[in-house]
Amino acid sequence: QVQLVESGGGLVQPGGSLRLSCAASGSIFSIITMDWYRQAPGKQRELVASITSDNSTHYANSMKGRFTISRDNAKNTVYLQMNSLKPDDTAVYFCYAGIRRSMLGSVLFYWGQGTQVTVSS
């Protein structure tokens, strides 16, 4: 079994910052990619940022310059530093990881349960 547990969400004023964390645990041989997605009410889930095992990163255009994704491979944890937050950033933020559970195993994908981020004055 593999679990992804997000933390760090909450209520923040416009212009503020939050740091999300997502820790993976369980039967893990290697984590290939770790991503953050978000889903606002009435909208489709969208990719926020992704990071590979060699720290290659990708950001959605609207997040570039404001959000920073990073990972700690020793802790199987991915972070999302969010600055200059706007009301439009209000959403549930989900962690998504591609994980190999054994050396020769396939890469399987897992979702976390999500953490609410609300940007409001």
Side-chain angles (χ1 to χ4, degrees):
Q1 286 281 30
V2 171
Q3 281 190 320
L4 302 177
V5 179
E6 300 102 332
S7 61
L11 173 64
V12 64
Q13 291 186 340
S17 299
L18 279 177
R19 188 191 193 210
L20 307 182
S21 301
C22 171
S25 62
S27 179
I28 298 171
F29 176 77
S30 63
I31 301 178
I32 308 305
T33 180
M34 299 188 86
D35 308 336
W36 286 99
Y37 282 76
R38 71 184 186 184
Q39 187 166 20
K43 294 187 177 181
Q44 289 189 331
R45 194 170 295 190
E46 62 175 348
L47 176 68
V48 174
S50 63
I51 186 167
T52 63
S53 55
D54 62 354
N55 288 321
S56 268
T57 58
H58 169 79
Y59 296 91
N61 284 337
S62 61
M63 285 66 153
K64 286 181 181 176
R66 298 191 300 125
F67 292 5
T68 302
I69 190 170
S70 61
R71 63 190 280 175
D72 184 334
N73 291 330
K75 295 181 179 180
N76 289 337
T77 299
V78 63
Y79 305 96
L80 185 68
Q81 177 67 43
M82 305 186 293
N83 299 327
S84 302
L85 283 163
K86 307 173 183 178
D88 283 351
D89 294 317
T90 295
V92 178
Y93 285 70
F94 296 90
C95 180
Y96 183 63
I99 294 172
R100 184 171 279 123
R101 298 178 61 186
S102 63
M103 187 168 64
L104 300 179
S106 301
V107 178
L108 303 178
F109 294 87
Y110 300 86
W111 287 100
Q113 82 288 352
T115 185
Q116 176 70 46
V117 172
T118 302
V119 184
S120 175
S121 55

